[in-house]
Amino acid sequence: MKFLHGFLPFLILAFDIFELVQAQDQSGFISLDCGLVPKDRTYVEKSTNITYRSDTDYIESGSPGNINEMYRAQFQQQTWSLRSFPEGQRNCYNFTLTVKRKYLIRATFIYGNYDGLNQLPTFDLHIGPNKWTSVSTLGVTNGSIHELIHVLTQDRLQVCLVKTGETTPFISSLELRPLSNNTYVTQSGSLIAFARVFFSPTPSFVRYDEDVHDRTWTPFLGNKTSVISTDASVDTSNFYNVPQPVAKTAAVPANATQPLTIDWTLDDITAQSYIYMHFAEIENLEANATREFNITFNGGRNWYSYFRPPKFSITTIFNPGAVSSPDGKFNFTFEMTGNSSLPPLINGLEIYKVLNIEQQETDQDEVSAMMDIKTTYELMNKRSSWQGDPCAPRLYRWEGLNCNYPVSEPPRIISLNLSGSNLTGTISFDISKLTQLTVLDLSNNDLSGEIPEFLSDMKLTLINLSGNLKLGRSVPEPLQRKIDNKSLILIRDGTGKNSKNVVAIAASVASVFALLLLLAIVFVIIKKKRKTNEASMPVSVTTGTVKSETRSSGSSIITKERKFTYSEVLKMTKNFERVLGKGGFGTVYYGNLDDTQVAVKMLSHSSAQGYKEFKAEVELLLRVHHRHLVGLVGYCDDGDNLALIYEYMANGDLRENMSGKHFNLKDSYLVKSISFHMLKHLNLGTGKLSVNVLSWETRMQIAVEAAQGLEYLHNGCRPPMVHRDVKPTNILLNERSQAKLADFGLSRSFPVDGESHVMTIVAGTPGYLDPEYYRTNWLSEKSDVYSFGVVLLELVTNQPVTDKTRERPHITEWVGSMLTNGDIRSIVDPKLMDDYDTNGVWKVVELALACVNPSSSRRPTMPHVVMELNECLAYEIERKQGSQETYTKDSVEFSPSSVSDFAPRAR
Ligand SMILES: *[C@@H]1O[C@H](CO)[C@@H](O)[C@H](O)[C@H]1NC(C)=O
Ligand SMILES: *[C@@H]1O[C@H](CO)[C@@H](O)[C@H](O)[C@H]1NC(C)=O
Ligand SMILES: *[C@@H]1O[C@H](CO)[C@@H](O)[C@H](O)[C@H]1NC(C)=O
Ligand SMILES: *[C@@H]1O[C@H](CO)[C@@H](O)[C@H](O)[C@H]1NC(C)=O
Ligand SMILES: *[C@@H]1O[C@H](CO)[C@@H](O)[C@H](O)[C@H]1NC(C)=O
Ligand SMILES: *[C@@H]1O[C@H](CO)[C@@H](O)[C@H](O)[C@H]1NC(C)=O
Ligand SMILES: *[C@@H]1O[C@H](CO)[C@@H](O)[C@H](O)[C@H]1NC(C)=O
Ligand SMILES: *[C@@H]1O[C@H](CO)[C@@H](O)[C@H](O)[C@H]1NC(C)=O
């Protein structure tokens, strides 16, 4: 048996030196009857005389409801109405209080079939960014009460209801009671009340105003105990202010010669516990009588020896350091000593479980700034996720925000996307308070005024102001300097006639990389429609001072120069000497054309669909050129022989690279026999053994590049294209490990306006196929986004897309279920050997899960994906460059304090 700390309990006697008994009023109480309407209504509850009021001032969302009338009589009035949260994943109550004060927080839930569905809800309750508990309703009238003793870390407190399944969260009442700093002191963490009992044969529970702190005390009687009581008043003036009904009764063993025993079991065997026992002698003892006992727990461990409860005065014994039990079982024995003529007794018992408050809240100034931004731009009703802490927990981060999560420091906001949020007025100065911000996207709003100078004092590297037609055109001089020395990219509306087009293009190109790319390559956009024959569309991109305008026209007529005869194909492949691989439509051979290496895909004669796919791919590839799309060198359409000739991708496909099958001997050794865990140790210091795995940085690089290829198909091509078969085997790497998308055989032009999006044949690869597209036949770019999300999950986990041996066979569900424990490491490819930025991995996983959202409308667009991935890549590069401090500790080790610190102390 192992205890983290010395556990010798303190003992706190009643005293009358300090006047600590608080006035019997409700000062400092916040008593909310949730869902009470109208909003200014208050009332005094009959059984407690507590004044309740509506919760409207503390919450922005949810809808009021009432429990079924027939159940009312059983409950106190504050549970008659309730607030439910059908909208949004996380809904939060917000209190402005005093930092570092200790509060008892009580949330009460009585379902009472308020919605007539007779469906018992389950959901989670959070305190700030930390999970407090799960709430489950066991019956229509089985209420639950959850109490937490919590010290405020900021001057605001948020209590959030989090939807975890299908059912709708709700809350009946929420109460806050200030507590003295000197009570319920823990070494760390907050305290979840597990039990607070007194010993009385009457079934009614005790709370305010008998308990000045309004703790709830439940009567409890074991079958081996009996009760003694007194009418005399008991001094309860130690810090704990036990209520009189609790102090005036006590449990004693039913058989006076037997010890008194109390035991309980905590479900969570790892739980740390604090236990408070309250004692007072409540019998008028004869002069020669003594009540003295030893308290031991879990098989004889000493808790307190030779204890004599003072007469008619409460003493509290508690452990100053947390205790735990390896099987979650606690048993306490109270046994008379040899001096004693009377059996042991106990008046009250409180049992708490430690709730570790691990997740820090976002930097307080940044929270204030975000609140002001929310108010200034009236975003309350537009952004349902903008509740609770902006960055934490990650899972419920505010939409449009990206944060950095430094170890043991508050999270900071690093990007803010308010694109298309109908913002009006000027660019708020509050933005300047987000001092770590690097990306600011205010595009497609209705902002006016001038571009403010404060933007130049920030860490911003990308500002998107496009699509704000009323915004001033002049760029402040300091900002311009940053643009000129290329430390900042500013996207805004161009000047002149074409500004409308510029908006469209600039808005779709949200990433720095994509933007540079656009400037770097010849940007050809051909607006080709079958019905109309319009001229090409002029395009210009404005980034600060850089301006480029390219104009081009063309058609998709297959040009003669790129057409090869069959005999030329035979020559370049040396009669099909070397096979590179076999695909769905035929075999791929290695070849040489002049001095260039090529890959030649011969289409098999048998494939009926082959010719159609062939034509689709030829047409597409001759029309579309992008650094991250595999280039078509030429084709062969010679009688029965159809071939596509591509640029050669020396490093194979992503699948091979992930599995470690494809590797350069000169770079690394493939070590199979040693487990990777051991390798990590071997690796330390020697720097010689290396495993052939793609590093996290390489994976991110590949992800960014593949995403850019896809983004180009979706947004750079006219008409846009949908790839329809995004998967690791279609992401190829060249000799410099640059990634390119390949295999456009299934690609489709995205239908132009007015045409149907419905595809008669659903095509794609199982596992990567968008379930919505599969169900509805409705094709959009978002189907590629889905597939890309699956690829991202593979990059992170290196797990098969479907694996029947997993409880959740499909990778999207598997990752989702694994993440419920909050431990990202449980899913990350162990081959990475912990060499990655956890924040970055989280971001990618979040992004991937957004991409695979069952509803296509909720998936991000590829420009967004590119932007996010670029950020992750930047972090990883920064981490690799910057840090020798990779050895951060996950857990703090406690050195046991000297036992004397915990020696019992009487007060
Ligand atoms: C509530 O207050 C009224 C008036 O002050 C008093 O008569 C009544 O006894 C109180 N009830 C309780 C339960 O304290
Ligand atoms: C919480 O309420 C206070 C006012 O009581 C307000 O200033 C603050 O912005 C609110 N915070 C949140 C997160 O709603
Ligand atoms: C409790 O302690 C904090 C700081 O330690 C202080 O700000 C607060 O006022 C204290 N509260 C009481 C009731 O003493
Ligand atoms: C006392 O209660 C326990 C558990 O509730 C039960 O198993 C036991 O039979 C009871 N003993 C007596 C004497 O009633
Ligand atoms: C009380 O316990 C003792 C053993 O410690 C036993 O001999 C005695 O019979 C018990 N009395 C009753 C009333 O059960
Ligand atoms: C205590 O004294 C009373 C008489 O004053 C006597 O009846 C009783 O037996 C004594 N009890 C003990 C434990 O000595
Ligand atoms: C009390 O706990 C100890 C250690 O966990 C165990 O050995 C003993 O059987 C328990 N006693 C009872 C009465 O449960
Ligand atoms: C009470 O505790 C003391 C000190 O731990 C021990 O010496 C003594 O034997 C105990 N008495 C009983 C009756 O268990």
Side-chain angles (χ1 to χ4, degrees):
M1 202 176 306
K2 188 168 167 284
F3 295 100
L4 197 57
H5 302 288
F7 59 90
L8 291 178
F10 276 124
L11 175 142
I12 297 195
L13 298 167
F15 47 79
D16 43 18
I17 316 153
F18 306 105
E19 183 47 61
L20 271 171
V21 180
Q22 298 184 345
Q24 307 257 321
D25 63 22
Q26 300 173 32
S27 66
F29 281 23
I30 296 177
S31 309
L32 303 184
D33 180 347
C34 304
L36 183 68
V37 284
K39 66 181 243 158
D40 49 5
R41 188 167 152 215
T42 64
Y43 63 86
V44 175
E45 199 282 322
K46 280 207 231 48
S47 64
T48 56
N49 272 356
I50 293 173
T51 306
Y52 285 91
R53 57 185 161 125
S54 168
D55 59 346
T56 329
D57 289 344
Y58 299 90
I59 186 127
E60 287 164 358
S61 51
S63 41
N66 290 299
I67 64 169
N68 192 309
E69 295 249 0
M70 65 199 246
Y71 303 130
R72 278 190 175 192
Q74 305 174 36
F75 301 108
Q76 292 181 345
Q77 190 178 349
Q78 71 274 15
T79 65
W80 294 357
S81 63
L82 53 81
R83 181 175 294 274
S84 66
F85 301 94
E87 305 282 333
Q89 182 112 55
R90 175 174 73 160
N91 289 276
C92 298
Y93 282 85
N94 162 37
F95 301 93
T96 303
L97 298 164
T98 313
V99 64
K100 291 190 176 154
R101 271 222 82 164
K102 184 171 281 178
Y103 279 87
L104 172 73
I105 304 164
R106 175 170 44 236
T108 305
F109 305 88
I110 289 174
Y111 169 60
N113 201 18
Y114 75 90
D115 52 4
L117 296 175
N118 251 316
Q119 249 176 29
L120 305 177
T122 50
F123 48 92
D124 281 354
L125 195 58
H126 285 213
I127 187 84
N130 292 281
K131 182 177 164 183
W132 165 359
T133 185
S134 295
V135 179
S136 47
T137 322
L138 296 176
V140 170
T141 57
N142 292 17
S144 57
I145 295 176
H146 297 265
E147 279 190 7
L148 181 71
I149 294 177
H150 180 68
V151 178
L152 262 60
T153 54
Q154 295 193 347
D155 64 6
R156 76 188 90 226
L157 172 73
Q158 279 152 348
V159 178
C160 306
L161 291 98
V162 177
K163 190 169 172 141
T164 53
E166 293 302 306
T167 50
T168 301
F170 76 96
I171 184 167
S172 305
S173 80
L174 186 56
E175 294 158 299
L176 271 62
R177 312 296 185 226
L179 291 178
S180 154
N181 277 6
N182 304 318
T183 56
Y184 306 107
V185 178
T186 65
Q187 293 187 326
S188 67
S190 298
L191 293 177
I192 293 177
F194 174 76
R196 190 182 299 109
V197 297
F198 67 115
F199 304 92
S200 161
T202 58
S204 61
F205 67 91
V206 168
R207 57 178 292 192
Y208 188 79
D209 60 349
E210 284 144 331
D211 188 327
V212 290
H213 302 299
D214 193 19
R215 290 163 291 191
T216 40
W217 297 82
T218 325
F220 171 85
L221 207 53
N223 55 13
K224 286 184 191 152
T225 52
S226 53
V227 169
I228 56 172
S229 63
T230 181
D231 291 333
S233 95
V234 178
D235 180 357
T236 58
S237 67
N238 79 1
F239 288 115
Y240 289 89
N241 299 133
V242 171
Q244 285 296 326
V246 173
K248 283 178 170 177
T249 58
V252 292
N255 181 339
T257 63
Q258 294 283 313
L260 178 69
T261 60
I262 299 176
D263 60 84
W264 63 87
T265 306
L266 299 179
D267 289 341
D268 174 9
I269 59 170
T270 62
Q272 300 284 313
S273 243
Y274 284 88
I275 299 148
Y276 298 84
M277 297 173 180
H278 308 283
F279 302 93
E281 179 57 74
I282 53 168
E283 281 184 335
N284 286 305
L285 302 188
E286 306 279 348
N288 59 0
T290 311
R291 192 190 305 274
E292 187 182 77
F293 50 93
N294 281 358
I295 308 171
T296 56
F297 88 115
N298 284 13
R301 266 198 95 110
N302 204 8
W303 189 260
Y304 206 92
S305 301
Y306 302 118
F307 179 61
R308 294 187 186 193
K311 289 170 187 162
F312 297 95
S313 173
I314 285 282
T315 293
T316 301
I317 293 178
F318 65 94
N319 50 314
V323 292
S324 64
S325 163
D327 53 2
K329 290 191 170 130
F330 290 82
N331 63 47
F332 277 81
T333 305
F334 305 78
E335 192 169 10
M336 282 165 74
T337 63
N339 310 323
S340 185
S341 57
L342 291 166
L345 60 66
I346 181 168
N347 307 59
L349 173 66
E350 297 175 75
I351 304 161
Y352 295 93
K353 251 171 30 176
V354 174
L355 173 68
N356 288 313
I357 301 291
E358 275 160 357
Q359 175 68 66
Q360 297 217 26
E361 286 154 289
T362 305
D363 179 84
Q364 184 146 10
D365 294 338
E366 298 197 352
V367 178
S368 305
M370 286 310 300
M371 289 301 143
D372 293 343
I373 290 167
K374 182 175 162 186
T375 314
T376 308
Y377 293 126
E378 295 174 347
L379 291 165
M380 294 89 190
N381 301 324
K382 294 178 210 155
R383 298 256 170 156
S384 67
S385 69
W386 281 37
Q387 294 200 30
D389 192 273
C391 294
R394 282 164 206 269
L395 218 45
Y396 305 115
R397 194 176 55 207
W398 291 9
E399 185 198 337
L401 289 191
N402 243 332
C403 305
N404 201 7
Y405 299 86
V407 178
S408 66
E409 275 172 48
R412 307 296 296 263
I413 296 165
I414 53 169
S415 90
L416 172 62
N417 180 351
L418 289 173
S419 177
S421 303
N422 299 329
L423 311 187
T424 55
T426 59
I427 295 177
S428 166
F429 183 70
D430 290 315
I431 289 170
S432 72
K433 296 172 190 155
L434 306 175
T435 54
Q436 304 294 309
L437 202 64
T438 57
V439 177
L440 174 64
D441 189 345
L442 298 174
S443 60
N444 299 321
N445 285 301
D446 205 13
L447 292 167
S448 51
E450 292 302 317
I451 299 175
E453 194 169 325
F454 69 72
L455 294 175
S456 67
D457 298 328
M458 302 178 64
K459 289 192 174 168
L460 289 165
T461 56
L462 175 66
I463 305 174
N464 190 348
L465 299 176
S466 61
N468 286 286
L469 297 177
K470 292 186 200 148
L471 201 62
R473 303 221 176 274
S474 71
V475 178
E477 206 245 331
L479 205 58
Q480 188 61 52
R481 268 203 304 276
K482 280 194 151 182
I483 294 163
D484 292 346
N485 71 25
K486 306 226 169 11
S487 61
L488 171 69
I489 290 178
L490 174 66
I491 307 171
R492 65 195 174 98
D493 300 328
T495 47
K497 291 167 213 153
N498 286 331
S499 65
K500 214 170 172 203
N501 287 333
V502 175
V503 174
I505 299 300
S508 77
V509 181
S511 95
V512 181
F513 279 59
L515 197 68
L516 294 176
L517 196 64
L518 288 177
L519 298 172
I521 61 171
V522 181
F523 196 92
V524 185
I525 289 182
I526 305 144
K527 194 167 185 182
K528 183 179 166 288
K529 288 185 183 176
R530 265 163 255 169
K531 290 167 196 151
T532 59
N533 208 358
E534 290 172 15
S536 60
M537 185 173 75
V539 174
S540 91
V541 177
T542 312
T543 71
T545 52
V546 190
K547 226 180 228 182
S548 87
E549 184 150 311
T550 53
R551 225 170 243 267
S552 177
S553 65
S555 72
S556 68
I557 308 158
I558 295 176
T559 50
K560 289 210 173 69
E561 306 84 67
R562 298 195 182 179
K563 190 166 171 175
F564 296 91
T565 62
Y566 186 60
S567 62
E568 281 171 312
V569 169
L570 285 175
K571 199 175 136 208
M572 71 179 85
T573 60
K574 293 193 181 154
N575 291 324
F576 306 120
E577 188 182 52
R578 193 175 136 204
V579 175
L580 291 174
K582 279 190 163 72
F585 297 115
T587 309
V588 185
Y589 300 92
Y590 177 81
N592 269 293
L593 183 62
D594 304 328
D595 286 337
T596 351
Q597 296 177 305
V598 292
V600 180
K601 180 160 87 176
M602 296 303 297
L603 277 91
S604 56
H605 300 270
S606 54
S607 167
Q609 275 206 325
Y611 193 67
K612 210 170 128 202
E613 316 301 342
F614 169 77
K615 267 181 61 184
E617 191 158 357
V618 170
E619 292 219 0
L620 172 75
L621 284 179
L622 288 176
R623 191 157 66 78
V624 163
H625 302 275
H626 187 274
R627 205 155 55 124
H628 298 300
L629 301 179
V630 170
L632 190 69
V633 177
Y635 67 99
C636 165
D637 185 359
D638 190 351
D640 276 352
N641 299 300
L642 303 178
L644 289 162
I645 301 153
Y646 303 98
E647 64 178 306
Y648 176 62
M649 301 294 283
N651 272 325
D653 70 49
L654 179 57
R655 168 100 330 273
E656 291 169 358
N657 279 271
M658 288 294 290
S659 66
K661 198 168 105 195
H662 195 102
F663 63 99
N664 284 330
L665 266 177
K666 62 180 190 295
D667 294 334
S668 55
Y669 306 89
L670 184 64
V671 185
K672 275 185 181 154
S673 52
I674 316 172
S675 81
F676 291 107
H677 183 73
M678 283 172 66
L679 252 185
K680 181 170 186 181
H681 293 285
L682 290 175
N683 225 353
L684 283 176
T686 72
K688 274 182 191 158
L689 267 179
S690 72
V691 191
N692 179 53
V693 281
L694 297 177
S695 69
W696 180 244
E697 183 186 338
T698 310
R699 294 182 199 200
M700 281 300 89
Q701 188 71 48
I702 291 168
V704 165
E705 291 173 352
Q708 285 171 349
L710 208 49
E711 197 257 358
Y712 177 74
L713 284 181
H714 292 177
N715 294 312
C717 299
R718 290 289 177 276
M721 305 292 306
V722 184
H723 186 284
R724 291 215 292 174
D725 203 12
V726 176
K727 57 182 176 182
T729 48
N730 282 340
I731 296 172
L732 305 184
L733 305 179
N734 68 9
E735 71 288 352
R736 281 170 293 150
S737 283
Q738 281 178 330
K740 302 187 184 210
L741 275 182
D743 205 338
F744 302 88
L746 292 178
S747 301
R748 284 285 174 277
S749 288
F750 192 66
V752 288
D753 296 341
E755 276 185 47
S756 167
H757 292 237
V758 176
M759 296 278 146
T760 45
I761 300 164
V762 172
T765 304
Y768 299 89
L769 193 58
D770 172 11
E772 188 179 280
Y773 164 51
Y774 184 76
R775 222 176 40 244
T776 61
N777 287 13
W778 179 268
L779 182 67
S780 80
E781 298 102 324
K782 292 293 182 71
S783 298
D784 283 349
V785 174
Y786 178 90
S787 313
F788 189 75
V790 176
V791 173
L792 282 180
L793 291 177
E794 286 186 272
L795 280 171
V796 172
T797 63
N798 203 2
Q799 292 289 323
V801 173
T802 46
D803 179 353
K804 294 254 160 59
T805 64
R806 285 191 300 236
E807 199 184 323
R808 309 288 179 96
H810 195 259
I811 194 166
T812 55
E813 291 162 0
W814 176 73
V815 166
S817 73
M818 293 297 283
L819 282 181
T820 49
N821 66 10
D823 181 11
I824 192 85
R825 272 182 301 186
S826 63
I827 61 157
V828 176
D829 183 2
K831 288 184 189 171
L832 287 170
M833 299 193 291
D834 286 345
D835 189 10
Y836 50 81
D837 169 30
T838 322
N839 286 325
V841 176
W842 263 110
K843 260 184 224 300
V844 173
V845 171
E846 285 168 5
L847 179 65
L849 291 178
C851 290
V852 299
N853 193 306
S855 156
S856 64
S857 62
R858 295 204 171 163
R859 295 175 202 151
T861 58
M862 284 314 291
H864 179 86
V865 172
V866 171
M867 184 169 82
E868 297 260 321
L869 288 173
N870 262 322
E871 271 181 30
C872 296
L873 178 59
Y875 288 144
E876 181 61 12
I877 292 170
E878 199 176 297
R879 183 185 76 93
K880 288 224 158 155
Q881 284 169 350
S883 65
Q884 293 298 58
E885 46 183 334
T886 44
Y887 294 94
T888 47
K889 281 186 192 159
D890 285 336
S891 57
V892 184
E893 278 177 4
F894 293 102
S895 56
S897 315
S898 73
V899 173
S900 64
D901 286 354
F902 299 104
R905 210 169 64 186
R907 306 187 79 149

